[in-house]
Amino acid sequence: MTGTQIRLNHIFGRDGKSVVVAMDHGLPGMFPLGHLADPASLLDAVAAGGADAILTTPGLARRFAPHIGKLGLIVRLDGGTTPIGDAPRSSSLIATPEDAMRLGADAVAVMGFCGTEDEGRSLATLGKVATECRALELPLMAEMLPLGFGAEPTVEEIALAARIAAEMGVDIVKTKFVGPQEAYRQVTETCFAPVLILGGSERELGQVTDTIGQAVAAGVAGVAMGRSVWRSSDVRGTVGAIVAALHGRAPYTRAENGVAPA
Amino acid sequence: MTGTQIRLNHIFGRDGKSVVVAMDHGLPGMFPLGHLADPASLLDAVAAGGADAILTTPGLARRFAPHIGKLGLIVRLDGGTTPIGDAPRSSSLIATPEDAMRLGADAVAVMGFCGTEDEGRSLATLGKVATECRALELPLMAEMLPLGFGAEPTVEEIALAARIAAEMGVDIVKTKFVGPQEAYRQVTETCFAPVLILGGSERELGQVTDTIGQAVAAGVAGVAMGRSVWRSSDVRGTVGAIVAALHGRAPYTRAENGVAPA
Amino acid sequence: MTGTQIRLNHIFGRDGKSVVVAMDHGLPGMFPLGHLADPASLLDAVAAGGADAILTTPGLARRFAPHIGKLGLIVRLDGGTTPIGDAPRSSSLIATPEDAMRLGADAVAVMGFCGTEDEGRSLATLGKVATECRALELPLMAEMLPLGFGAEPTVEEIALAARIAAEMGVDIVKTKFVGPQEAYRQVTETCFAPVLILGGSERELGQVTDTIGQAVAAGVAGVAMGRSVWRSSDVRGTVGAIVAALHGRAPYTRAENGVAPA
Amino acid sequence: MTGTQIRLNHIFGRDGKSVVVAMDHGLPGMFPLGHLADPASLLDAVAAGGADAILTTPGLARRFAPHIGKLGLIVRLDGGTTPIGDAPRSSSLIATPEDAMRLGADAVAVMGFCGTEDEGRSLATLGKVATECRALELPLMAEMLPLGFGAEPTVEEIALAARIAAEMGVDIVKTKFVGPQEAYRQVTETCFAPVLILGGSERELGQVTDTIGQAVAAGVAGVAMGRSVWRSSDVRGTVGAIVAALHGRAPYTRAENGVAPA
Amino acid sequence: MTGTQIRLNHIFGRDGKSVVVAMDHGLPGMFPLGHLADPASLLDAVAAGGADAILTTPGLARRFAPHIGKLGLIVRLDGGTTPIGDAPRSSSLIATPEDAMRLGADAVAVMGFCGTEDEGRSLATLGKVATECRALELPLMAEMLPLGFGAEPTVEEIALAARIAAEMGVDIVKTKFVGPQEAYRQVTETCFAPVLILGGSERELGQVTDTIGQAVAAGVAGVAMGRSVWRSSDVRGTVGAIVAALHGRAPYTRAENGVAPA
């Protein structure tokens, strides 16, 4: 497990927590892109804000490697649906663990749908990727979405989905946070992999940090958020505030990322 | 066959019998989890009770390796259906024999459905896994379920299914026990692989040990039980009683597992 | 072709003829099993009766290797349908040529359906297995069933199916015998691989040896029979009589199989 | 391209022309077989007649290698439909370029259907085989059939199909000849691979040589004919007359095939 | 990324721009072929006109390698639909990145359909090819067609599709140009791979150079045009004018292609 541990060290801080900025929205064709339209300056701001890692695509990682710097790199392996036309929604692998490893990834990410029509195929793909990752000692993040995108799952459904991912051997579970925080402990206590909560649609910073506070109290290990970051007018400030809320320290001080205190 | 034999030695006692505790229920999302919510302490109690082996998932095995200790390790390779939503039931491989071998497994397990709509695909998968296992000298347990989960197959149907598994080359057959015990001899006498009986839903310890007595008299080589163990309030005691019923010795005396007599 | 020839030597006598006892009926779940319920003693009797080879499954071969002795070993690679429940009939590969080679097989066997709904898939599988066998110099037996199990094909249909198998490169064709014997010569003369006739359902010994006489006169190279052998009360005697009918010598004298004359 | 050239030298004469005798009709179950029922003597007559090459199956090539002698060897890789029963027509690969290479083939052949229901799958298979052949430097013949077996395509449709094959990288196009010869030049001029015309159903020798005359004038590089050859009473004479018509020399003089002049 | 860069150098000039002449229309059976009927002289004229690269098929590249000379070589990997008959349209890979690499390709090209019924399969194939290309350091061109062939996508749909391709990791995006030029900047500014505009149906030279002027002003890196070139009466002149319009220099002066100034 040495390789797995070394790579997870690039994603999680010494406190076991992680702020991941999701920058993978261009792959499924999400518009408007906000600061994501200019990945180079966005990456600089994300690093300056003290984020631990980014979740992005093979193409973006490959093109903007110099701007990724010391940020942990999680590469998304699945995609396939666009908002153009009326094509039936579908998802498929567009890269492989071996490919991501070659690109320098510290981890890879795939979706895990439960309770949707596509559940069987989705979990089979998750299992296959998990198996390949184990062979490479490459950590795997599963984005577990009970009932699919946009659904409002119960905390029990989230707990089930998170545990299933852990049983398959994923190293990080990304899933939805739902209150109240006491109830959410059943998610973090039965899932034996760290849970990062997703951001979902764009929200105000106050709401975001408030949610982080509740989530940390419920045993969550971090966040993986995108739109609230790259659609904000002040990316560095937003990331810094999220870092402060999660890691419990003043923003702009991650000297190990080469960022001087503000 | 040396590798196969060495690995089977980790699962069966010198008397050719085995108490396997099934701990793979988190993968298909079975709740409530009882003591399975805390795998570390459950594994410690299972080992202390004198079990021979566990049947679990790649994720659980990987995360709790120190607590598995000298317990034989059987890794389940298939999964894929959850109780969330209305997704059509399906099953698929979520790991491979090679992957399980790398994790230190002594055997792997897959389902074998007979007489269900999915029979063709299920038996083809079983054959494929059996072939891969032979190449690795990794023992294979097939969980043969005539007519599927929750069905009430006849003893003739169980005998047929068990023999089919043996012809495919599986090393251990896990299947249902149905009385009367004299009739069940046709299962164990025509199946040329050892038969372990499954536990099914949670039952009282008295019922369990009673069934074990009948099954042993019918030629069965052991048990592979889960819910009756990890939902009981006294896991160590329950396992110890099952060990006593099967191996015919006093509970709590498996010194080779580092457990001192009670 | 050296490897192919050496392996075929283990199946055919120096007279180019072969008595193959089929013992693969447990795989598709055929019951009652007669002496096949106890493979060890059945194999001993088959060898003692002077048979050249057996056709069996990976599981049976692996478990009873000591009892196979000098009998030629043909391993069936396909299976998949059981008599349990109402599952749609299907057939698929449950092992591979490489796997059989590792088990010590002298040849492998697969079905070849012609004129059935499944024809396309069946012949594609036959071609694939034939290709893999050529790479390994492992002889291949195709069981050609025009119109499927239980059909009554004409001699022309049998001739067509047998020739198709030969064109694909199979080394042995197992197919049905239909009289009259003069007409059957078109099968053996246009098929440039040796033809073994199958036994089908259980028959009396007199009928069996009578058929063998006609078949040999029509150019057939041997038999591959199962139920008439392992359901008979005297397996050794039955095999001996078949050997005598085919090879034209007294039964019980295959000293090279370590069997003393009766 | 050295390997490709060396192998093509075994199929085409120094004049760039080739008489290929098709002997692959047993694979799809075409009856009656005429002289094809006895491949050994047919091959001897074909060689004696001065043919350049044969198109045959893996099984026939493997069994009658000594009789193939110096004849160029083109191995058909696809098959799968029989005239038995009512099975839906289908075609699939029954061997691979690597397998044919091992058998000593100078080229392989597959069908290319255009404008049929199966077009997409057929051209995908053709592309896959072409790719494998390039890796092995093994020449590929595509039998391009616009609108399928038995159709009457226009010369424009034949030209399109032939060019498509060339763009995919095939080395030899086998397709239908339709008059008038002036119009057919659009086929040979836009297809940048040599075109061999197929024979189709059995015809009289006079008709055959007449067609060859027209085809050569239209830029065709040879013929690939079967039934008109192996159903004729005088195979050697028929082949000799075709050779004379194509190569423009007296029959029976291919000393390099070890055949003395008549 | 050294291999990728070296190969891209063969396609783009030092000014980062590229004139690619598309010569892949024979694969899907487009007729009439104009000068494409005679690839050798067409290639000579294209090179003389100063083009940077060609987009063609494996077959054409292989057969006319001497005429390709120093032209950059982009090999199309997909095909499969013909105008013959009523076959359902389909597309599939007919070659692989490894195959193209062996042929000496500097890049490969595949289609990327968005918003069509086939979208899911198309983008999955694109992802698979992108992954294979990265392993080989072989540049990939994706031809992104929102809503399919012949559709009139909006500039927003083109921007989305182009960005999706970039996120998948393609190195060159070929797509449609639609005016007005100011609006088209959203395509080139959000797509972090160079954009080449396609030609579509045959047009007059004046129209073509006019479009190139607008496109360059909108940030486009070049053109990939076919019919307007190979159906023109003066190929060298047409290519020269396109080169002049794009690279902003006098036609006929690419001395590095061995072409003397006119």
Side-chain angles (χ1 to χ4, degrees):
Chain A
M1 302 275 287
T2 307
T4 302
Q5 184 61 59
I6 294 289
R7 289 183 183 93
L8 285 172
N9 289 349
H10 298 171
I11 295 172
F12 288 88
R14 288 184 177 267
D15 60 357
K17 294 203 173 64
S18 182
V19 170
V20 177
V21 177
M23 300 175 56
D24 56 343
H25 305 71
L27 182 56
M30 183 175 290
F31 262 53
L33 288 169
H35 290 286
L36 193 48
D38 179 10
S41 62
L42 174 59
L43 284 163
D44 293 344
V46 165
D52 294 283
I54 55 165
L55 166 61
T56 192
T57 62
L60 199 150
R62 188 166 167 259
R63 177 74 180 70
F64 298 100
H67 298 272
I68 293 174
K70 287 196 166 42
L71 286 164
L73 173 60
I74 308 172
V75 171
R76 175 165 292 283
L77 300 186
D78 49 5
T81 298
T82 76
I84 305 172
D86 304 314
R89 291 187 75 88
S90 74
S91 174
S92 50
L93 294 180
I94 54 101
T96 62
E98 187 190 322
D99 176 51
M101 188 92 151
R102 200 181 288 122
L103 287 170
D106 298 306
V108 291
V110 291
M111 307 303 298
F113 293 107
C114 295
T116 62
E117 209 180 317
D118 200 30
E119 175 187 281
R121 208 170 67 93
S122 176
L123 297 182
T125 299
L126 178 54
K128 181 177 132 66
V129 171
T131 302
E132 292 176 26
C133 283
R134 280 193 289 274
L136 297 170
E137 296 255 2
L138 181 65
L140 171 60
M141 169 194 278
E143 183 164 347
M144 301 306 290
L145 292 188
L147 304 173
F149 284 113
E152 302 280 358
T154 62
V155 70
E156 286 77 18
E157 287 164 339
I158 294 169
L160 263 172
R163 172 75 183 232
I164 288 168
E167 298 272 2
M168 285 203 180
V170 315
D171 300 279
I172 308 169
V173 174
K174 177 185 174 194
T175 195
K176 200 162 188 171
F177 178 76
V178 295
Q181 74 186 53
E182 308 76 49
Y184 203 77
R185 291 206 73 87
Q186 73 183 277
V187 178
T188 57
E189 284 176 359
T190 58
C191 175
F192 48 80
V195 173
L196 304 189
I197 60 170
L198 54 81
S201 58
E202 192 178 351
R203 289 186 298 163
E204 295 200 356
L205 184 55
Q207 279 184 293
V208 169
T209 52
D210 200 57
T211 298
I212 293 173
Q214 292 176 51
V216 167
V220 156
V223 298
M225 289 180 168
R227 282 169 276 177
S228 300
V229 172
W230 49 255
R231 282 187 181 154
S232 85
S233 53
D234 173 17
V235 170
R236 181 178 166 169
T238 300
V239 172
I242 293 171
V243 167
L246 185 76
H247 288 293
R249 62 189 178 200
Y252 302 156
T253 59
R254 283 199 102 214
E256 66 274 27
N257 272 0
V259 181
Chain B
M1 302 275 287
T2 307
T4 302
Q5 185 60 60
I6 293 289
R7 289 183 184 94
L8 285 171
N9 290 347
H10 298 171
I11 295 172
F12 288 89
R14 288 184 177 266
D15 60 358
K17 293 203 174 64
S18 182
V19 171
V20 177
V21 177
M23 300 175 56
D24 55 345
H25 304 72
L27 182 56
M30 184 175 289
F31 263 53
L33 288 169
H35 290 285
L36 193 47
D38 178 10
S41 62
L42 174 59
L43 283 163
D44 293 343
V46 165
D52 295 283
I54 55 164
L55 165 61
T56 194
T57 62
L60 198 149
R62 188 166 168 259
R63 178 72 181 72
F64 297 100
H67 297 273
I68 293 174
K70 287 196 167 42
L71 286 164
L73 174 60
I74 308 172
V75 171
R76 176 165 292 283
L77 300 186
D78 49 5
T81 298
T82 76
I84 304 172
D86 304 313
R89 292 187 75 88
S90 74
S91 174
S92 50
L93 294 181
I94 55 102
T96 62
E98 186 190 324
D99 176 51
M101 189 92 151
R102 198 180 291 120
L103 286 170
D106 298 305
V108 291
V110 291
M111 308 302 299
F113 293 107
C114 295
T116 61
E117 210 181 316
D118 200 31
E119 176 187 282
R121 205 169 69 92
S122 176
L123 297 182
T125 298
L126 178 54
K128 180 177 131 67
V129 172
T131 301
E132 291 176 25
C133 283
R134 280 193 289 275
L136 297 170
E137 295 257 3
L138 181 65
L140 170 61
M141 170 195 278
E143 183 164 347
M144 301 306 292
L145 292 188
L147 305 173
F149 283 113
E152 302 280 357
T154 64
V155 71
E156 287 77 17
E157 288 165 338
I158 294 169
L160 264 171
R163 172 75 183 232
I164 288 168
E167 299 272 2
M168 285 204 181
V170 314
D171 299 279
I172 308 168
V173 174
K174 177 185 174 194
T175 195
K176 199 163 190 172
F177 178 75
V178 296
Q181 74 185 53
E182 308 77 48
Y184 203 75
R185 291 207 72 86
Q186 73 183 278
V187 177
T188 57
E189 284 175 0
T190 59
C191 174
F192 47 81
V195 173
L196 304 190
I197 61 170
L198 54 81
S201 57
E202 191 179 352
R203 289 186 298 164
E204 295 200 357
L205 184 54
Q207 278 182 293
V208 168
T209 52
D210 200 56
T211 299
I212 292 173
Q214 293 176 50
V216 167
V220 155
V223 299
M225 289 179 167
R227 281 169 277 177
S228 301
V229 173
W230 49 256
R231 282 189 182 153
S232 85
S233 52
D234 173 16
V235 170
R236 181 179 166 168
T238 300
V239 172
I242 292 171
V243 166
L246 185 77
H247 289 292
R249 62 187 178 202
Y252 302 153
T253 58
R254 285 199 101 212
E256 67 274 26
N257 273 359
V259 181
Chain C
M1 304 273 287
T2 307
T4 303
Q5 184 61 59
I6 294 289
R7 289 184 184 92
L8 284 171
N9 290 347
H10 298 170
I11 295 172
F12 289 89
R14 288 185 176 266
D15 60 358
K17 294 202 172 66
S18 182
V19 171
V20 177
V21 177
M23 300 175 56
D24 56 344
H25 304 70
L27 183 55
M30 184 174 290
F31 263 51
L33 288 168
H35 291 286
L36 193 48
D38 179 10
S41 63
L42 174 59
L43 283 163
D44 293 343
V46 165
D52 295 283
I54 56 164
L55 166 61
T56 192
T57 62
L60 198 149
R62 188 165 167 259
R63 178 72 180 72
F64 297 100
H67 298 271
I68 292 173
K70 286 195 165 43
L71 287 165
L73 173 60
I74 307 172
V75 171
R76 174 164 293 283
L77 300 186
D78 49 5
T81 299
T82 76
I84 304 171
D86 305 313
R89 292 188 75 87
S90 74
S91 175
S92 51
L93 294 180
I94 55 102
T96 62
E98 186 189 322
D99 176 51
M101 190 92 150
R102 197 179 292 120
L103 286 170
D106 298 305
V108 291
V110 291
M111 307 303 300
F113 293 106
C114 296
T116 61
E117 209 181 317
D118 200 30
E119 176 188 280
R121 207 170 68 93
S122 176
L123 296 182
T125 299
L126 179 53
K128 182 177 131 66
V129 172
T131 300
E132 292 176 24
C133 283
R134 279 194 290 275
L136 297 170
E137 296 256 3
L138 182 65
L140 170 61
M141 169 193 278
E143 183 163 347
M144 300 307 291
L145 292 188
L147 305 173
F149 282 112
E152 301 281 356
T154 63
V155 70
E156 286 77 16
E157 288 165 338
I158 295 170
L160 264 172
R163 173 75 183 232
I164 287 167
E167 298 273 3
M168 284 204 182
V170 314
D171 300 278
I172 308 169
V173 174
K174 178 185 174 193
T175 194
K176 199 163 191 173
F177 178 75
V178 295
Q181 74 184 53
E182 308 77 47
Y184 203 77
R185 291 207 71 86
Q186 74 183 276
V187 176
T188 57
E189 284 176 359
T190 58
C191 175
F192 47 80
V195 174
L196 304 190
I197 60 171
L198 55 82
S201 58
E202 191 179 353
R203 290 186 299 164
E204 294 200 356
L205 185 54
Q207 279 182 292
V208 168
T209 52
D210 201 57
T211 298
I212 293 174
Q214 293 176 49
V216 166
V220 155
V223 298
M225 289 179 168
R227 281 168 277 178
S228 300
V229 172
W230 49 256
R231 281 188 181 153
S232 86
S233 53
D234 174 16
V235 170
R236 180 178 167 167
T238 301
V239 172
I242 292 170
V243 167
L246 185 77
H247 288 293
R249 62 187 178 202
Y252 301 155
T253 59
R254 285 199 103 212
E256 68 274 27
N257 274 359
V259 180
Chain D
M1 303 274 286
T2 307
T4 302
Q5 184 61 59
I6 294 289
R7 289 184 183 93
L8 285 171
N9 290 348
H10 299 170
I11 295 173
F12 288 89
R14 288 184 176 267
D15 60 357
K17 293 202 172 66
S18 182
V19 171
V20 177
V21 177
M23 300 175 55
D24 55 344
H25 304 71
L27 183 56
M30 184 174 289
F31 263 51
L33 288 169
H35 291 285
L36 193 46
D38 179 11
S41 62
L42 174 58
L43 283 164
D44 293 343
V46 164
D52 294 284
I54 56 165
L55 166 61
T56 192
T57 62
L60 198 149
R62 187 165 168 260
R63 178 72 180 72
F64 297 101
H67 298 273
I68 292 174
K70 287 196 166 39
L71 286 164
L73 173 60
I74 308 171
V75 171
R76 176 167 292 285
L77 299 186
D78 50 4
T81 299
T82 75
I84 304 171
D86 304 313
R89 292 187 75 87
S90 74
S91 176
S92 51
L93 294 180
I94 55 101
T96 62
E98 186 189 322
D99 177 50
M101 189 92 152
R102 199 181 290 121
L103 287 170
D106 299 304
V108 291
V110 291
M111 308 302 300
F113 293 106
C114 295
T116 61
E117 210 181 316
D118 199 30
E119 176 187 280
R121 207 171 68 93
S122 177
L123 296 182
T125 300
L126 179 53
K128 181 178 131 66
V129 171
T131 301
E132 292 176 24
C133 282
R134 280 194 288 275
L136 297 169
E137 295 256 3
L138 181 65
L140 170 61
M141 169 193 277
E143 183 163 347
M144 301 306 291
L145 292 187
L147 305 173
F149 283 112
E152 302 280 357
T154 63
V155 70
E156 286 78 16
E157 288 165 338
I158 294 170
L160 264 173
R163 172 75 183 231
I164 288 168
E167 299 273 3
M168 285 204 182
V170 313
D171 299 278
I172 308 169
V173 174
K174 178 185 173 192
T175 194
K176 200 164 190 171
F177 178 76
V178 296
Q181 75 184 53
E182 307 78 47
Y184 202 77
R185 291 206 71 86
Q186 73 183 275
V187 177
T188 57
E189 285 176 358
T190 58
C191 175
F192 48 79
V195 173
L196 304 189
I197 61 171
L198 54 81
S201 59
E202 191 180 354
R203 290 185 299 162
E204 295 201 356
L205 185 53
Q207 279 182 293
V208 168
T209 52
D210 200 57
T211 298
I212 293 173
Q214 293 175 51
V216 167
V220 156
V223 299
M225 289 180 168
R227 281 169 277 177
S228 299
V229 171
W230 49 256
R231 281 187 182 155
S232 87
S233 53
D234 174 15
V235 170
R236 180 178 167 167
T238 299
V239 172
I242 291 171
V243 167
L246 185 77
H247 287 293
R249 64 187 177 201
Y252 303 156
T253 58
R254 286 199 102 211
E256 68 274 26
N257 274 0
V259 180
Chain E
M1 303 273 286
T2 307
T4 302
Q5 185 61 59
I6 294 290
R7 289 182 184 94
L8 285 172
N9 289 348
H10 298 172
I11 295 173
F12 288 88
R14 288 184 176 266
D15 59 358
K17 294 201 172 66
S18 181
V19 171
V20 177
V21 177
M23 301 175 54
D24 56 343
H25 304 71
L27 182 56
M30 183 174 290
F31 264 50
L33 288 169
H35 291 286
L36 193 48
D38 179 10
S41 61
L42 175 59
L43 284 163
D44 293 343
V46 165
D52 294 283
I54 55 165
L55 166 61
T56 192
T57 62
L60 198 150
R62 187 166 168 261
R63 177 74 181 71
F64 297 101
H67 298 273
I68 292 173
K70 287 195 166 41
L71 287 164
L73 174 60
I74 308 171
V75 171
R76 175 166 291 284
L77 299 186
D78 49 5
T81 298
T82 76
I84 305 171
D86 305 313
R89 292 187 75 87
S90 75
S91 175
S92 50
L93 294 181
I94 56 101
T96 61
E98 186 190 325
D99 177 49
M101 189 92 151
R102 199 181 289 119
L103 287 168
D106 298 305
V108 291
V110 292
M111 308 303 300
F113 293 107
C114 295
T116 61
E117 209 181 316
D118 200 29
E119 176 187 281
R121 207 170 68 92
S122 177
L123 296 182
T125 299
L126 178 54
K128 181 178 131 65
V129 172
T131 302
E132 292 176 25
C133 283
R134 279 193 289 274
L136 297 170
E137 295 254 3
L138 181 65
L140 170 60
M141 170 193 278
E143 182 163 348
M144 301 306 291
L145 293 187
L147 304 174
F149 283 113
E152 303 280 357
T154 63
V155 70
E156 286 77 17
E157 288 165 338
I158 294 170
L160 263 172
R163 172 76 183 231
I164 288 168
E167 299 272 3
M168 284 204 181
V170 314
D171 300 278
I172 308 170
V173 174
K174 178 185 173 193
T175 194
K176 200 163 189 171
F177 178 75
V178 295
Q181 73 184 54
E182 307 77 48
Y184 203 77
R185 291 206 71 86
Q186 73 182 276
V187 177
T188 57
E189 284 176 359
T190 57
C191 175
F192 48 79
V195 174
L196 304 189
I197 61 170
L198 53 82
S201 58
E202 192 180 353
R203 291 185 297 163
E204 294 200 356
L205 185 54
Q207 280 183 292
V208 168
T209 52
D210 201 56
T211 299
I212 292 172
Q214 293 175 51
V216 167
V220 155
V223 298
M225 290 179 167
R227 281 169 277 176
S228 300
V229 172
W230 50 255
R231 280 187 182 155
S232 86
S233 53
D234 174 17
V235 170
R236 181 178 165 168
T238 300
V239 171
I242 292 171
V243 167
L246 185 76
H247 287 292
R249 61 188 179 201
Y252 302 157
T253 58
R254 284 199 103 211
E256 67 274 27
N257 273 1
V259 180

